[in-house]
Amino acid sequence: MKVSQLFTKTLKQAPADEVAKNAQLLLRAGYVHKELAGVYAYLPLGLRVVENIKQIVREEMDAIGGQELLMSTLQPSDIWQKTNRWDDSAVDNWFKTKLFNGTELGVGLTHEEPIVDAAIPYVSSYKDLPKMVYQIGAKFRNEKRAKSGMLRGREFIMKDMYSFARDQKQHEEVYERIAAAYHRIYERLGIGEKTFRVKADGGIFTKRYSDEFQTISPVGEDTIFHIPDTEDYYNREVAPAQAPEHEMPTELLPMEECRAPGVVGVEQLAKVLDIPVARTVKTMLYVIDGVVTAVAVRGDYAVSEVKLRMALGASSIALADAETVKRTTGAELGFAGLIGLPDDVRRVVDDSVAPLTNFELGANKTDFHNKNVNWDRDVPRPERFYDIKEAQAGDIHPASGQVYEVVKAVEVGNIFPLETKYTDALDMFYADEQGERQQIIMGSYGLGVSRLLGVLAEHFSDERGLVWPEAIAPYRLYIVQIGADEKVVAEAEKLCEIAQSWGVSVLYDDTDKRPGEKFADADLLGIPHRVVVSTKTVEAGKYEYKARTSDESELASIDRLKSILTH
């Protein structure tokens, strides 16, 4: 491909409203075009990279027995209603549309229900299992805040695989086979050493963890907790956490009620009460499976609603509204405490609160807090404390006693055990060897192709531009023609033909730009290999070669180039 014929050109500056590094680079290099926040078009160079990523994914999915298909984007509501995922209160990021006759349709955000519906005619016997199918296509999610360039979009490219198994044992065999394939994908993309399998929330229909694949990155939205010297990683939302110890007063002071009107936040409250933040306690009221529940954590922690749900085996959790809080505590929002609550209010207290002495609690009275509260004397000590806090830096992994290593990361894949939620709801079963009807266990396996484009652009770049790995680069060789001398042009075109005969894809800069501009374009585009053809090189009977990852160039013979480019 000649640069003069490319649909795109490089830009000196990215649009002012684009702050994410990955999007800035991809826009400047002409790989993508921004339609609106969270929606990008893939231009010829960008599409080549996307297709290269897809091909790696496809090869690994096929290698483990996956079968590729393509489901429809438009989805009828009836199958989603059967799993209670059609209503916006259950799934709040649907895009929906209507036919002329008023029939409401969904715009595909995931495909668990449609894939079960499609599989029902073909899976009826134990002989039909296991099965794995996948697709690579566009997904649409009405994100409230699309951000970070390609990392969080409203329209994005995703590989989603679904598995069907006869029992838990068969499911786990398939699940681990797919997890291993994910590791191979990331290795081939060049991010294997920075991408880890991370335990995460499994959702309301399984007691098991799901698994995320997280790439360590300073731009990551997720916080990952790692047990040192192990392969165990947890997402913040599920990380088991023991709070580090703080020195506590040994002299128990009399409890006193303190007025603190207009105080916002635990830091300000601690200042007003003249106590450390670590001796304040947040008490929040939830409605959990219909039961009003007072949930208490140390003031410097947040409640992890995921861990709270898992601890109680709950299916429904929501913060209590202001009316429920007032009716239960007698106070406005912000003053709830554990003392004097009605007997029918369940109490769930985090283990960070257990060792506290002379601590603060809301007084269940507007504008008032209790200070110097102590267990047993002022408030009954719970029979059991829970780990329901959101882990934070400095926390300890309870089982090992080790302090977590904490890093930021970008989720580049996830795999979920779905149990029988979708197959049961859509009446999909199989007959075993005795002809008995049995449930089918399902798994879901997502991998963000367009998100990987953004992650790779962030990771493989420097101050000059992109630095693509050879496996995904749009072209492997960038030939720079310097000058319009006939011999130079002829030699550059000859090298193009030779390189292509070696199976090397070529982008040939035949423009009349100055050499410095051409070199800057080559660096911005991130093509792995650059060869300069000039009057000087033609006279020497060699070529000037430089790898994108090197600052040094060399004069190379045609045999040397072949060795480099066909290794």
Side-chain angles (χ1 to χ4, degrees):
M1 169 61 71
K2 292 182 177 181
V3 170
S4 63
Q5 297 173 350
L6 270 181
F7 177 69
T8 55
K9 296 179 181 179
T10 58
L11 305 175
K12 292 190 181 299
Q13 300 292 331
D17 64 340
E18 192 62 81
V19 297
K21 177 184 175 184
N22 67 86
Q24 288 179 343
L25 288 170
L26 293 168
L27 286 163
R28 284 188 56 217
Y31 282 80
V32 300
H33 171 72
K34 186 174 184 178
E35 300 285 352
L36 60 132
V39 180
Y40 294 86
Y42 302 95
L43 304 179
L45 291 176
L47 184 59
R48 289 179 70 97
V49 178
V50 167
E51 291 300 325
N52 287 337
I53 296 171
K54 283 184 182 180
Q55 187 58 29
I56 290 172
V57 173
R58 182 175 286 117
E59 288 171 4
E60 295 298 339
M61 294 298 97
D62 290 349
I64 58 171
Q67 299 177 60
E68 187 171 6
L69 45 67
L70 186 61
M71 302 297 290
S72 65
T73 296
L74 295 178
Q75 297 296 324
S77 63
D78 57 338
I79 56 174
W80 295 85
Q81 289 169 345
K82 291 177 181 178
T83 60
N84 299 315
R85 293 213 297 172
W86 180 253
D87 193 277
D88 291 341
S89 63
V91 177
D92 63 0
N93 58 353
W94 270 109
F95 280 111
K96 293 178 179 177
T97 188
K98 287 184 179 180
L99 299 177
F100 282 121
N101 64 8
T103 300
E104 196 171 26
L105 301 175
V107 181
L109 78 171
T110 185
H111 279 78
E112 283 83 0
E113 285 86 346
I115 205 71
V116 172
D117 187 55
I120 287 172
Y122 309 111
V123 178
S124 58
S125 165
Y126 71 95
K127 296 178 182 179
D128 300 324
L129 297 168
K131 284 284 189 294
M132 292 177 283
V133 292
Y134 73 95
Q135 63 177 341
I136 304 176
K139 293 286 188 290
F140 303 85
R141 293 181 186 171
N142 194 4
E143 296 284 356
K144 292 179 181 176
R145 187 180 172 209
K147 58 181 180 177
S148 303
M150 312 300 296
L151 304 187
R152 181 171 292 280
R154 295 186 169 101
E155 177 182 343
F156 52 93
I157 302 170
M158 179 179 173
K159 185 283 301 176
D160 46 321
M161 175 178 260
Y162 305 93
S163 68
F164 301 94
R166 64 176 295 173
D167 54 31
Q168 192 62 38
K169 181 177 182 293
Q170 190 178 74
H171 165 75
E172 289 176 4
E173 290 171 352
V174 169
Y175 191 88
E176 291 304 318
R177 203 188 313 163
I178 296 170
Y182 272 46
H183 282 298
R184 289 192 295 272
I185 289 168
Y186 303 127
E187 286 289 344
R188 292 178 64 181
L189 293 173
I191 54 173
E193 64 181 17
K194 287 185 170 289
T195 303
F196 302 95
R197 183 174 174 177
V198 177
K199 294 181 177 68
D201 178 24
I204 63 173
F205 39 82
T206 180
K207 295 180 180 179
R208 296 174 176 82
Y209 289 119
S210 68
D211 291 280
E212 296 172 344
F213 292 84
Q214 295 272 1
T215 300
I216 306 303
S217 171
V219 302
E221 293 183 345
D222 289 324
T223 304
I224 306 305
F225 289 73
H226 174 227
I227 306 171
D229 303 318
T230 75
E231 296 183 357
D232 293 333
Y233 294 79
Y234 294 89
N235 195 302
R236 181 200 289 270
E237 64 187 3
V238 300
Q242 177 183 323
E245 290 185 3
H246 287 260
E247 188 174 349
M248 289 291 139
T250 55
E251 180 185 356
L252 304 187
L253 301 177
M255 185 177 77
E256 53 183 295
E257 190 176 78
C258 303
R259 188 168 184 269
V263 173
V264 177
V266 293
E267 288 83 5
Q268 188 179 353
L269 177 62
K271 273 187 181 178
V272 169
L273 298 182
D274 193 27
I275 59 173
V277 172
R279 281 179 26 222
T280 63
V281 176
K282 293 177 187 171
T283 305
M284 304 170 69
L285 262 60
Y286 283 85
V287 178
I288 302 176
D289 289 341
V291 178
V292 176
T293 305
V295 177
V297 295
R298 207 171 75 186
D300 52 343
Y301 281 95
V303 173
S304 167
E305 293 186 3
V306 171
K307 289 167 74 173
L308 177 60
R309 187 197 72 232
M310 293 170 70
L312 299 180
S315 58
S316 167
I317 290 184
L319 277 169
D321 58 25
E323 182 182 344
T324 301
V325 171
K326 183 68 180 289
R327 184 175 66 250
T328 304
T329 68
E332 304 296 332
L333 288 171
F335 303 96
L338 298 174
I339 299 174
L341 288 171
D343 291 341
D344 60 350
V345 174
R346 177 170 50 185
R347 294 154 177 81
V348 177
V349 183
D350 185 73
D351 54 19
S352 61
V353 184
L356 300 187
T357 60
N358 294 343
F359 57 93
E360 171 273 338
L361 276 176
N364 292 325
K365 181 178 176 182
T366 301
D367 290 339
F368 285 87
H369 297 264
N370 289 317
K371 179 181 175 181
N372 297 329
V373 177
N374 286 282
W375 292 116
D376 299 320
R377 186 192 69 184
D378 306 311
V379 59
R381 179 179 291 272
E383 293 182 4
R384 176 185 174 186
F385 289 92
Y386 295 83
D387 174 13
I388 53 168
K389 61 190 161 298
E390 196 172 81
Q392 59 189 26
D395 281 356
I396 299 162
H397 178 251
S400 69
Q402 295 194 78
V403 177
Y404 281 114
E405 296 173 345
V406 183
V407 294
K408 303 295 284 184
V410 178
E411 181 187 331
V412 292
N414 54 57
I415 57 179
F416 289 90
L418 299 178
E419 307 292 351
T420 63
K421 172 181 169 63
Y422 298 101
T423 48
D424 282 357
L426 294 169
D427 201 31
M428 181 183 181
F429 299 90
Y430 78 94
D432 64 15
E433 291 88 338
Q434 286 74 44
E436 298 292 327
R437 189 166 102 148
Q438 302 292 345
Q439 293 175 303
I440 296 175
I441 295 176
M442 196 174 170
S444 174
Y445 314 85
L447 187 148
V449 172
S450 52
R451 178 176 286 191
L452 274 168
L453 176 66
V455 170
L456 294 167
E458 289 274 353
H459 184 65
F460 294 108
S461 58
D462 58 20
E463 68 281 358
R464 298 192 299 272
L466 297 158
V467 189
W468 294 120
E470 293 202 26
I472 61 167
Y475 295 92
R476 291 187 57 222
L477 175 61
Y478 193 91
I479 295 177
V480 179
Q481 169 197 313
I482 303 297
D485 182 87
E486 288 183 5
K487 290 182 179 179
V488 170
V489 173
E491 190 62 34
E493 291 181 346
K494 176 184 171 184
L495 180 59
C496 281
E497 293 178 5
I498 292 172
Q500 288 170 342
S501 74
W502 297 336
V504 176
S505 54
V506 178
L507 185 58
Y508 166 31
D509 191 342
D510 62 333
T511 65
D512 58 2
K513 291 182 179 180
R514 292 174 299 174
E517 291 180 273
K518 293 191 175 193
F519 298 154
D521 282 352
D523 284 343
L524 177 58
L525 292 170
I527 309 302
H529 305 279
R530 188 190 79 190
V531 170
V532 176
V533 180
S534 64
T535 301
K536 179 181 174 181
T537 64
V538 171
E539 290 174 350
K542 294 192 175 183
Y543 305 92
E544 182 184 313
Y545 168 78
K546 189 180 89 68
R548 178 63 180 86
T549 54
S550 173
D551 291 328
E552 302 298 325
S553 62
E554 64 174 279
L555 282 176
S557 67
I558 192 69
D559 289 338
R560 168 69 174 147
L561 283 184
K562 183 176 182 181
S563 174
I564 293 170
L565 297 172
T566 61
H567 66 279

